[in-house]
Amino acid sequence: MILLWTGALALSVLLYVLLDGFDLGVGILFAFTRDEPQRRRMLAAISPVWDGNETWLVLTAATLFGAFSRVYATLLSAFYLPMIFLLGALILRGVAFEFRYKTERLRWLWDLCFVGGSTLATFIQGMTVGALVEGLPLSGGRYLGGPIGWLSPFACLCGLGLCLGYALLGAAWLVGKTEGDLRERSYRQLPWLIAGVFAFLAVVFFYALAEHLRIMHRWLERPYLLVFPALGAVAAAGLVIGVRRRKDLLPFPTTALIFLAAFGTLAVSFWPYMIPFSVTVDQAASPASSLDFMFWGAGLVVLPLILLYTATVYRVFRGKISGVEDYH
Amino acid sequence: VAWVGTLLVVLDRMDRSRLMLWATFLSFPLPFVAILTGWFTAEVGRQPWTVYGLLRTADAVTPALTVPETVASLAMFVCVHALIFSFGVFYIYRLLLVGPVDVVPGLTPGANRPLGLAGAAGQPLSQEGAP
């Protein structure tokens, strides 16, 4: 049962990163065009799905709360301020979808909320992962680092890296979803974003080597784990080919595969810990009775239902968006 | 008001009853009052317990949390809410000024819209659209 809930948690986190990743990425790229028709089409490309994508964040939090309450308590205490500001950023970018069409004079305000909210939310998510990789000051399951104990150059670097990564996902999504000048523009942005993401990965790698992060030992002990980075490399090759040959449907799946590889890399780096090097998955799990109880409701009904409607909405809104349409 | 209103709608006399229309209009704050007072009753009434009889509020507070953090988060939520709520009310007010539209433009089947709305195409919405 612990394994099942760990799997459910991993699935929610992965789907959240992939799905909300691209719409947050489109939010970041939104800043790089002033052209109103292009902006409208960028919004139209994500408007049917963005709020559904954020369901996976809710599900992640709910799974942590129910099945891994120790991790929930520790992480949300440690990241109190970042999580509050993450929520604020998501609220502001969410209303921007609706409010920007209600006004002409103040549209800049909501566009600012959209870009700022998307960027801040992405940065905070990346920073959180960075801080986890580096290790939090914990003792006996209690966080001892103070309000900004997670703040470090490495965490900020990871925040920036995730902004690049989500922008890459966003551009790849736009290439598959749009036509004309917006598609061309996204194709021109892709090589820069690819270069940026790989530069970031290289810096992280050398930083980890230089600082002797504990995570690195795991890789030296078990070289067969390199299958995940290898998968990422293959996906990256596919992505480059897709961009070169202008195959619209190739960039997004390959970018998603890169993210999957990165996620797998992190997961096997952490395993069996949930909060690296202090709380293992087994220690973090709620009592068996809670896990069993949750299985019959959340596990058997809610999770498949969300999966089903997520699949349905992507099926309904598949294909390219046409013309300059208003959202609604 | 809701029960009488429902009865009148079923009898198809709602739009002729001036008193009921005013009563409906004036009762718009009631749901807010109900939700807020209910919330206060629940939150204040269970003190000093977080989980009644099991966990005291004083024991439930995050140990690492500081006052400035709490103030910062509250301030952020107040700002975000003030911004969104004031603009939301303003945009709703402007919608009301425009008044109900007889036919929603562009609401024709097959115009790249979700199917759910297609059935309502071409029908006057003035009945439901009235404030």
Side-chain angles (χ1 to χ4, degrees):
Chain A
M1 202 49 93
I2 293 178
L3 210 59
L4 184 127
W5 279 110
T6 313
L9 182 67
L11 181 74
S12 335
V13 174
L14 178 64
L15 281 173
Y16 175 74
V17 168
L18 289 183
L19 299 179
D20 211 31
F22 77 74
D23 70 57
L24 287 169
V26 171
I28 295 170
L29 294 173
F30 199 79
F32 294 95
T33 174
R34 297 234 160 267
D35 183 43
E36 181 62 22
Q38 279 194 12
R39 289 191 153 185
R40 276 176 187 249
R41 271 177 294 152
M42 288 173 101
L43 285 179
I46 55 173
S47 58
V49 290
W50 73 271
D51 29 9
N53 295 344
E54 281 175 7
T55 318
W56 292 102
L57 183 63
V58 179
L59 197 70
T60 302
T63 311
L64 273 181
F65 176 72
F68 302 100
S69 36
R70 271 191 71 183
V71 174
Y72 180 85
T74 312
L75 290 191
L76 265 73
S77 311
F79 294 116
Y80 181 77
L81 283 182
M83 285 304 127
I84 289 287
F85 280 91
L86 170 67
L87 289 182
L90 289 178
I91 293 173
L92 285 178
R93 89 180 273 275
V95 293
F97 277 93
E98 303 287 337
F99 280 6
R100 82 182 293 275
Y101 292 116
K102 300 276 179 247
T103 172
E104 299 253 329
R105 256 183 315 149
L106 281 178
R107 187 163 288 168
W108 61 269
L109 175 67
W110 302 116
D111 288 350
L112 187 72
C113 284
F114 186 57
V115 173
S118 305
T119 313
L120 183 65
T122 309
F123 184 79
I124 290 175
Q125 289 170 14
M127 204 187 61
T128 311
V129 175
L132 274 179
V133 168
E134 217 176 13
L136 286 170
L138 296 174
S139 158
R142 278 210 177 171
Y143 171 71
L144 301 171
I148 51 168
W150 35 264
L151 192 65
S152 72
F154 181 72
C156 291
L157 177 71
C158 289
L160 286 178
L162 195 68
C163 287
L164 283 170
Y166 277 2
L168 175 63
L169 262 180
W173 178 256
L174 287 177
V175 157
K177 262 321 215 190
T178 60
E179 283 164 340
D181 53 345
L182 184 55
R183 171 174 164 271
E184 265 317 300
R185 193 192 164 80
S186 306
Y187 265 128
R188 282 200 308 275
Q189 286 167 336
L190 274 171
W192 295 102
L193 292 169
I194 296 170
V197 166
F198 278 91
F200 159 73
L201 289 177
V203 171
V204 165
F205 179 73
F206 284 112
Y207 181 91
L209 271 186
E211 294 286 306
H212 296 291
L213 289 189
R214 279 185 70 182
I215 272 183
M216 290 306 285
H217 294 300
R218 180 153 301 234
W219 293 91
L220 301 174
E221 282 161 20
R222 292 176 235 172
Y224 59 87
L225 292 179
L226 288 171
V227 61
F228 282 108
L231 177 70
V234 173
L239 173 61
V240 171
I241 293 172
V243 174
R244 282 249 167 119
R245 305 217 176 126
R246 296 283 196 265
K247 297 258 187 248
D248 290 0
L249 294 179
L250 209 53
F252 186 72
T254 46
T255 312
L257 208 57
I258 294 177
F259 269 82
L260 178 74
F263 181 79
T265 308
L266 270 182
V268 294
S269 306
F270 283 15
W271 187 264
Y273 291 97
M274 196 161 234
I275 303 174
F277 314 119
S278 55
V279 182
T280 64
V281 170
D282 287 337
Q283 288 168 349
S286 301
S289 55
S290 315
L291 295 183
D292 289 342
F293 179 73
M294 276 177 68
F295 172 73
W296 294 108
L300 213 59
V301 182
V302 178
L303 185 66
L305 199 68
I306 300 180
L307 270 176
L308 188 72
Y309 80 61
T310 305
T312 310
V313 79
Y314 279 92
R315 234 188 77 78
V316 170
F317 291 102
R318 69 190 180 279
K320 299 238 183 205
I321 53 162
S322 50
V324 188
E325 260 160 53
D326 281 340
Y327 157 57
H328 281 304
Chain B
V1 175
W3 282 111
V4 178
T6 312
L7 183 71
L8 288 178
V9 168
V10 171
L11 296 176
D12 205 14
R13 277 173 43 201
M14 182 68 183
D15 38 2
R16 270 171 289 156
S17 165
R18 184 162 271 276
L19 184 70
M20 267 312 290
L21 286 175
W22 271 106
T24 311
F25 168 65
L26 289 176
S27 57
F28 75 90
L30 294 182
F32 291 102
V33 174
I35 291 171
L36 289 178
T37 49
W39 189 268
F40 277 122
T41 310
E43 291 295 321
V44 177
R46 71 195 166 112
Q47 296 304 330
W49 300 99
T50 296
V51 181
Y52 203 82
L54 279 179
L55 182 65
R56 283 199 174 254
T57 308
D59 301 326
V61 174
T62 303
L65 194 63
T66 61
V67 175
E69 282 182 283
T70 325
V71 171
S73 62
L74 182 64
M76 192 216 66
F77 266 116
V78 168
C79 291
V80 168
H81 245 84
L83 179 77
I84 292 175
F85 195 75
S86 48
F87 272 100
V89 169
F90 175 62
Y91 291 145
I92 290 173
Y93 173 70
R94 275 215 311 220
L95 266 183
L96 292 183
L97 278 188
V98 174
V101 186
D102 276 350
V103 179
V104 178
L107 202 66
T108 46
N112 281 313
R113 267 166 212 292
L115 288 172
L117 286 170
Q123 287 187 4
L125 290 179
S126 50
Q127 286 151 335
E128 303 107 277

